[in-house]
Amino acid sequence: NAGVTQTPKFRILKIGQSMTLQCTQDMNHNYMYWYRQDPGMGLKLIYYSVGAGITDKGEVPNGYNVSRSTTEDFPLRLELAAPSQTSVYFCATSGVGTGELFFGEGSRLTVL
Amino acid sequence: AQSVAQPEDQVNVAEGNPLTVKCTYSVSGNPYLFWYVQYPNRGLQFLLKYITGDNLVKGSYGFEAEFNKSQTSFHLKKPSALVSDSALYFCAVRDMGAYSGAGSYQLTFGKGTKLSVIP
């Protein structure tokens, strides 16, 4: 099993460009999350989903959008990239139960 | 609201010595508590969790953590540190009483503690 797969691993964007970070899971988990990690700041929740067709904002949703058309996929879209969105992005999943998260390997995004 | 504090940005320990990485939490109800480890350029990996029951929880790679309700702490420990334990460690909490609309399992993470084990 691949678990949680994120693409791309690295990307450089210019200010104002748009892009989509892909996340797919083969764990059949209902819950999926997008976090961003900034040095010394821990992880901040951007968006989450509790199942196909249902998404909701986390702590830092501004500048991002998500969709969840299938159980497996949870893409994160940046519409107008800004330098403040330079970060490492992690997708995670969890099943029903105590909330243990399973993380992808991360996507490092730089906005110049 | 739930929160987590990891008071040490960095912990240095000699190989073979015991290690402790500190974590305190704040929730309105009862907590679910987690420890995760992150190696360079990798995602976070689950180490252990406390849900209920025995206050001493054992996890992966010889790590354990002690839940202390009166001190609202959940410190990570290992009796004998290895150089390969060097990594970034995150504590996380979820309020068992919290129910966020559609029932998500939102965790709040600490800022992380960098553990360096010196040969």
Side-chain angles (χ1 to χ4, degrees):
Chain A
N1 286 344
V4 181
T5 302
Q6 292 183 234
T7 57
K9 294 189 185 303
F10 304 95
R11 182 73 185 269
I12 298 175
L13 281 181
K14 294 181 180 179
I15 294 172
Q17 287 186 320
S18 300
M19 76 158 298
T20 299
L21 300 178
Q22 301 291 344
C23 175
T24 187
Q25 55 113 350
D26 62 3
M27 306 176 78
N28 201 31
H29 283 167
N30 287 330
Y31 303 111
M32 296 188 74
Y33 312 82
W34 275 105
Y35 286 90
R36 59 176 289 171
Q37 182 182 26
D38 300 300
M41 300 297 293
L43 280 79
K44 302 291 186 183
L45 182 64
I46 305 170
Y47 271 94
Y48 66 93
S49 169
V50 300
I54 305 171
T55 63
D56 207 348
K57 297 177 180 179
E59 185 180 359
V60 290
N62 291 343
Y64 307 95
N65 276 300
V66 294
S67 59
R68 185 95 181 269
S69 57
T70 67
T71 299
E72 294 79 17
D73 299 307
F74 189 43
L76 177 71
R77 182 152 182 89
L78 287 70
E79 290 294 350
L80 293 170
S84 61
Q85 294 178 305
T86 294
S87 188
V88 181
Y89 292 84
F90 288 100
C91 180
T93 73
S94 65
V96 176
T98 54
E100 173 187 338
L101 299 181
F102 298 85
F103 285 84
E105 293 289 286
S107 298
R108 185 176 296 273
L109 176 66
T110 301
V111 182
L112 301 175
Chain B
Q2 56 196 36
S3 65
V4 174
Q6 294 182 241
E8 302 155 318
D9 292 336
Q10 178 147 357
V11 170
N12 297 322
V13 63
E15 186 176 23
N17 282 2
L19 69 86
T20 299
V21 182
K22 296 180 180 178
C23 171
T24 59
Y25 66 90
S26 175
V27 295
S28 56
N30 290 318
Y32 288 167
L33 292 156
F34 303 81
W35 276 102
Y36 288 83
V37 60
Q38 184 181 32
Y39 298 101
N41 300 314
R42 302 297 297 276
L44 278 71
Q45 298 177 29
F46 170 76
L47 274 181
L48 50 80
K49 64 185 176 186
Y50 171 81
I51 304 302
T52 187
D54 194 348
N55 289 343
L56 185 63
V57 178
K58 295 187 183 297
S60 306
Y61 313 121
F63 284 94
E64 58 189 27
E66 186 169 10
F67 172 64
N68 188 317
K69 187 172 184 178
S70 62
Q71 297 186 4
T72 61
S73 67
F74 189 56
H75 301 331
L76 181 70
K77 300 180 180 183
K78 188 174 182 180
S80 179
L82 300 173
V83 172
S84 57
D85 293 331
S86 298
L88 190 57
Y89 290 82
F90 290 95
C91 182
V93 68
R94 175 182 169 241
D95 188 340
M96 287 172 62
Y99 190 78
S100 178
S104 66
Y105 293 91
Q106 295 188 48
L107 296 187
T108 297
F109 286 84
K111 294 184 177 182
T113 298
K114 182 178 180 181
L115 174 67
S116 293
V117 181
I118 303 162

